[in-house]
Amino acid sequence: MLVIPEGDAGRRRHAHTRCAVAARKAGRLPSRDEWLKGVDAKAKAARRSNGSPGGEEAGETNGFAIASLFVGIIWLFGLGSIAAIALGYLGMKQIEASAGHQSGRAIAIAGIVIGVVGLASFGILIAFLISSNNDTPLLPGPHS
């Protein structure tokens, strides 16, 4: 633990105040009112045109995008994959049409990708079941 003499903090604070006052008089430091005007101007510039708060936040997340991801994860023996692809495309169309009021494009793309992977795995499963059903041994075994 660092122990500072009691008078040190006061001297540093007053020295800083003297520096700030001197810089303000020299024109290198804005006054409080000028600083507040600058902060207000930056806040107004950061606001989005759609009325949502500033920053990089978009509006609400598209429901079709969320449903696409959810149904794609559930899979439902291929039916969920088809629904995930369809909902993902619908969600992406709505997000593009909203002009920035809705977000969730990455979620919709993830739902589409998971749907395609699920559909491909369903196709592989069907092919495996068909090929194993018609399997006849090439060489006779002990029980033939």
Side-chain angles (χ1 to χ4, degrees), residues 62-104:
N62 185 282
F64 282 131
I66 295 170
S68 169
L69 184 64
F70 178 74
V71 173
I73 290 171
I74 298 299
W75 187 60
L76 300 172
F77 296 104
L79 296 177
S81 299
I82 294 170
I85 294 168
L87 290 172
Y89 279 116
L90 283 173
M92 284 181 51
K93 278 186 173 182
Q94 284 186 355
I95 291 167
E96 289 172 8
S98 73
H101 291 284
Q102 288 185 343
S103 63

Side-chain angles (χ1 to χ4, degrees), residues 35-132:
W35 178 76
L36 285 175
K37 285 180 187 176
V39 169
D40 287 341
K42 286 180 186 176
K44 285 180 184 176
R47 286 195 192 120
R48 297 184 62 90
S49 61
N50 63 5
S52 67
E56 294 188 20
E57 278 187 40
E60 61 189 27
T61 304
N62 185 282
F64 282 131
I66 295 170
S68 169
L69 184 64
F70 178 74
V71 173
I73 290 171
I74 298 299
W75 187 60
L76 300 172
F77 296 104
L79 296 177
S81 299
I82 294 170
I85 294 168
L87 290 172
Y89 279 116
L90 283 173
M92 284 181 51
K93 278 186 173 182
Q94 284 186 355
I95 291 167
E96 289 172 8
S98 73
H101 291 284
Q102 288 185 343
S103 63
R105 187 174 194 283
I107 296 172
I109 292 171
I112 292 169
V113 168
I114 291 173
V116 168
V117 169
L119 205 55
S121 66
F122 183 66
I124 292 170
L125 176 68
I126 295 296
F128 176 74
L129 290 175
I130 290 172
S131 71
S132 66

